[in-house]
Amino acid sequence: MTDTGSRGPLAGLLILDLTRVLAGPYCTLNLADLGARVIKVELPGSGDDARQIGPFMEPPIDPASAYFSSINRGKESIALNLKDQHDRSIFNELLSSADVLVENFTPGTMAKLGYSWEELHVRQPALIMASISGFGQSGPYSALPAYDIVVQAMGGILSLTGEKDRPPTRVGVSIGDLAAGLFGVVGIQAALIDRARTGLGRHVDVAMLDAQVALLENALARYQVEGQVPKPIGSRHPSITPFGAFNARDASLVIAAGNDAVFGRMCDALDLPGLPSDVRFSSNRARCQHEPQLRYILEEKLAQKDILEWLEILRTHGIPCGPINDVAAVMEDEHLNARGVFLDVPLAPGYAMKMARTPVRLSGEARVRPSPPPRLDENREAILAEFIGRERRAYFLTPTPQHS
């Protein structure tokens, strides 16, 4: 464990990060935000594939990819080719000091490189290795390639998202990658707790497809109880009514009346006192069965005022509700800004980009203020100076032809 003096609950942990694109980098981003030191090992010449994914910012900003920057802040970069003996020697030195190794190659790749879990566990019993892949380290799909849209489709999420009787709709963020990355964080921290007890590392195996299935919650239960395959129903909740988006005079807002008491207060707020005693709406089960009729009544009333007026009225009565914000509105939201959700990360002199912090907040300690995302191989000299013995440093500071 290396103490770098950084703040955060994971300060002192050294994470060696072989990941690229999104699921793995999002995992290590959250670890970095919580105080861990993350050294990103990239392919010489091109680096992480995400460096070539837009949107792109104008020079002199480097890295130019805003996409790459948003998920790789607070990390260090060194370019190494693990098929080259010179670079493998450097990697082995770094590995000997690491607490956690994170990779998201196709299963079997690490073994071909000579870094299988079995080999590493013998060499370095306390090391934790996290493997994030499309389909996991075992099973008939394990060798197949995967992207977010593939696991959303295969994991059932795509079949549930969108409006009724409309084509399947992808979730608007890469939930396949993001969920796997977050489950990777959970698995790594569980392995760290276990290591504190046993002194031994664990292999954390997270599959994007598994993560999607873990998010199905209500759909899995409904299929088994009701015997019907769940289908898209728009913004509605399948088991709670009213719960969804409703049209007011000028725009739409969301209202969630999660139980009979809240429904009664909502009816008071909307001046619809007769609804709770109407047999069609007197219980949540009845409301779900008569959702179209209830929606018609509610929207007829909501059409009399703009959403800002309704939000004030509904919130006064303690009704869960909110506007449907676009991204611009989210970034301007007074509550989010008051809580410091957005972090200004400097990318070049006079230029910073707002990024969302990790939402995990712990008492008694300031959260880590991350450094800018690294340029490819930016930290090579400093990393080698720290981890490689002085008598060997001059050799390692001279890059192989792949670094040129």
Side-chain angles (χ1 to χ4, degrees):
M1 185 176 288
T2 304
D3 187 358
T4 62
S6 64
R7 297 177 63 81
L10 300 185
L13 284 174
L14 177 59
I15 313 293
L16 209 53
D17 181 7
L18 286 172
T19 69
R20 68 265 189 237
V21 190
L22 184 52
Y26 191 67
C27 171
T28 56
L29 169 71
N30 280 275
L31 296 171
D33 271 1
L34 292 169
R37 181 182 182 184
V38 177
I39 296 179
K40 187 175 179 70
V41 178
E42 302 187 66
L43 189 66
S46 58
D48 185 336
D49 292 349
R51 291 183 181 273
Q52 284 74 53
I53 300 175
F56 297 103
M57 298 171 285
E58 297 296 325
I61 300 172
D62 183 16
S65 168
Y67 174 77
F68 173 88
S69 296
S70 68
I71 49 177
N72 286 285
R73 62 168 187 260
K75 304 176 186 179
E76 303 166 54
S77 172
I78 185 170
L80 299 174
N81 179 357
L82 298 188
K83 295 179 181 179
D84 176 85
Q85 192 56 50
H86 176 279
D87 284 5
R88 287 172 66 89
S89 298
I90 298 174
F91 182 73
N92 290 337
E93 295 279 356
L94 300 179
L95 194 58
S96 67
S97 298
D99 294 286
V100 182
L101 172 65
V102 187
E103 59 92 12
N104 65 346
F105 294 119
T106 300
T109 301
M110 291 296 286
K112 291 177 183 177
L113 292 170
Y115 297 107
S116 70
W117 163 246
E118 292 75 17
E119 293 171 286
L120 289 176
H121 193 52
V122 170
R123 287 164 45 187
Q124 211 168 318
L127 179 71
I128 293 165
M129 179 177 178
S131 298
I132 303 174
S133 61
F135 300 105
Q137 303 299 302
S138 61
Y141 301 159
S142 62
L144 296 178
Y147 276 94
D148 172 77
I149 187 67
V150 175
V151 297
Q152 281 199 37
M154 295 180 67
I157 299 291
L158 207 66
S159 76
L160 299 171
T161 307
E163 295 294 333
K164 182 180 179 181
D165 299 324
R166 299 290 295 170
T169 302
R170 175 183 175 271
V171 175
V173 296
S174 297
I175 193 69
D177 287 285
L178 300 176
L182 291 175
F183 280 117
V185 174
V186 172
I188 288 168
Q189 294 194 88
L192 286 167
I193 293 171
D194 185 67
R195 188 179 71 176
R197 291 194 294 256
T198 67
L200 297 174
R202 295 281 196 113
H203 187 195
V204 178
D205 172 10
V206 175
M208 293 169 64
L209 182 61
D210 295 2
Q212 293 301 275
V213 175
L215 299 180
L216 289 178
E217 39 95 31
N218 187 282
L220 289 175
R222 281 186 293 129
Y223 172 62
Q224 294 173 84
V225 172
E226 298 174 358
Q228 296 181 346
V229 177
K231 298 293 184 182
I233 54 173
S235 65
R236 280 189 57 200
H237 192 284
S239 305
I240 303 173
T241 300
F243 191 110
F246 298 88
N247 295 321
R249 184 165 62 191
D250 62 333
S252 298
L253 74 162
V254 295
I255 301 173
N259 56 49
D260 290 344
V262 176
F263 179 68
R265 295 201 307 271
M266 184 203 73
C267 293
D268 290 341
L270 298 179
D271 193 23
L272 294 169
L275 287 189
S277 59
D278 188 317
V279 67
R280 298 172 299 171
F281 313 129
S282 59
S283 69
N284 181 65
R285 174 175 288 188
R287 291 192 292 274
C288 288
Q289 292 171 344
H290 298 92
E291 191 275 340
Q293 298 96 313
L294 180 58
R295 173 176 291 274
Y296 178 84
I297 294 170
L298 295 180
E299 292 194 327
E300 189 175 46
K301 174 61 73 170
L302 291 168
Q304 297 174 11
K305 300 179 188 294
D306 292 346
I307 65 166
L308 290 180
E309 296 177 78
W310 282 125
L311 288 172
E312 183 176 357
I313 293 170
L314 290 165
R315 285 170 173 169
T316 299
H317 285 76
I319 309 305
C321 60
I324 301 175
N325 288 334
D326 60 19
V327 174
V330 169
M331 295 188 72
E332 295 167 3
D333 186 273
E334 62 176 350
H335 176 80
L336 295 175
N337 282 284
R339 280 180 59 80
V341 167
F342 298 109
L343 181 72
D344 288 317
V345 178
L347 300 182
Y351 186 89
M353 187 168 78
K354 286 188 180 297
M355 301 180 187
R357 296 177 184 263
T358 179
V360 177
R361 295 168 181 260
L362 299 174
S363 63
E365 189 169 20
R367 288 184 292 176
V368 175
R369 175 168 287 276
S371 58
R375 299 186 302 276
L376 179 60
D377 209 26
E378 176 180 353
N379 308 103
R380 181 184 188 82
E381 185 170 343
I383 290 171
L384 296 186
E386 179 178 353
F387 291 97
I388 307 299
R390 179 174 298 178
E391 68 281 358
R392 305 174 64 205
R393 198 177 303 154
Y395 169 72
F396 285 127
L397 280 170
T398 303
T400 61
Q402 290 94 331
H403 298 124
S404 301

